Amino acid sequence: GGRVTCLLGNHELMVLQGDTRYVAKAEFLELAERDGKAGDISAGRRSWTSMYAPNAIRGLRLRRDRQVAVVAGRGRCRTLFVHAGVLPQHVEFDPDHGLQHLNENVLGKIVGGTPERSHLFHDEGPFWYRGYAMNPERKICPLLDRTLRSVRAHQMVIGHTVQDHGVGVRCDGALNIIDVGISRVYGGNLAAWECSEDSGPFAIYPHTSKAFLRPRAGALSPNLEIGEHENFKDLGTWTIVSLGLLCMYVLGKIYFTFR
């Protein structure tokens, strides 16, 4: 058993906003040919945009069935998952329902057609924020700690910013960055993030053992550091595959430049 939860990311948001800058021209040409307008990129672009209109099946799915951020897992594996990052101001105004309000607020503005008017859709919003991945830890770790305390999670898992050397770990393991560059544009690197309630989070790479991600101080066993390995029995685990936008297949064949 298990469950797949598809989250909204910045590229899904761009699709809903009619922004096609990262859609391959081949997609437009294929749609144009399907519609009897071979070679007409503009016609293909219009067809693409219409597929994600509010009343279209794909558009409805994205607007209705996706969340912005979720907390999943138990014990040591209680984790906040989001595309780019949740900041304290997004959730701590309501310790019990902050995440729910965040999801409702974002989806409400998307459905209402007014995302550009909200700070949630700009550089410090959950779709575009790169501070957790790029700013000095002395600045971002206190923010991360406040966010995690607010949603009662042990760590945050994000994508959005490509990592050069496998799953990124910051703030003593409180932040795991799982965009390892699965797109061919970034090298086609494969990895997965998994969490065992016995031993905490670890990364999985092709042809290697499981690599533990450094725990937060006092949160997990101090002996579990990056590079240590162990074989696990198949106990209850939470796994997020860094195929990242695997759920994008509901949109059809899409070749974005993921970034």
Side-chain angles (χ1 to χ4, degrees), residues 31-70:
L31 288 172
E33 185 172 357
R34 182 203 66 180
D35 296 339
K37 300 178 181 180
D40 190 337
I41 290 181
S42 295
R45 183 180 286 108
R46 289 192 295 272
S47 294
W48 171 275
T49 301
S50 69
M51 290 194 302
Y52 302 103
N55 59 345
I57 293 176
R58 292 180 177 86
L60 282 172
R61 285 177 179 170
L62 286 179
R63 290 171 173 86
R64 181 190 61 199
D65 299 338
R66 296 291 183 94
Q67 297 185 73
V68 179
V70 298

Side-chain angles (χ1 to χ4, degrees), residues 98-151:
L99 208 58
Q100 178 183 340
H101 289 320
L102 173 64
N103 283 306
E104 291 175 352
N105 194 5
V106 168
L107 294 177
K109 285 180 169 55
I110 289 175
V111 172
T114 60
E116 68 282 352
R117 301 178 187 175
S118 171
H119 69 280
L120 293 171
F121 298 88
H122 296 294
D123 289 348
E124 292 197 349
F127 299 104
W128 293 102
Y129 185 59
R130 294 194 189 273
Y132 281 139
M134 301 179 68
N135 289 348
E137 291 195 13
R138 60 183 172 78
K139 292 185 177 181
I140 59 103
C141 293
L143 298 176
L144 178 62
D145 185 67
R146 284 169 54 192
T147 299
L148 293 176
R149 288 178 185 276
S150 183
V151 300

Side-chain angles (χ1 to χ4, degrees), residues 63 238 248:
R63 290 171 173 86
W238 292 85
M248 287 289 285

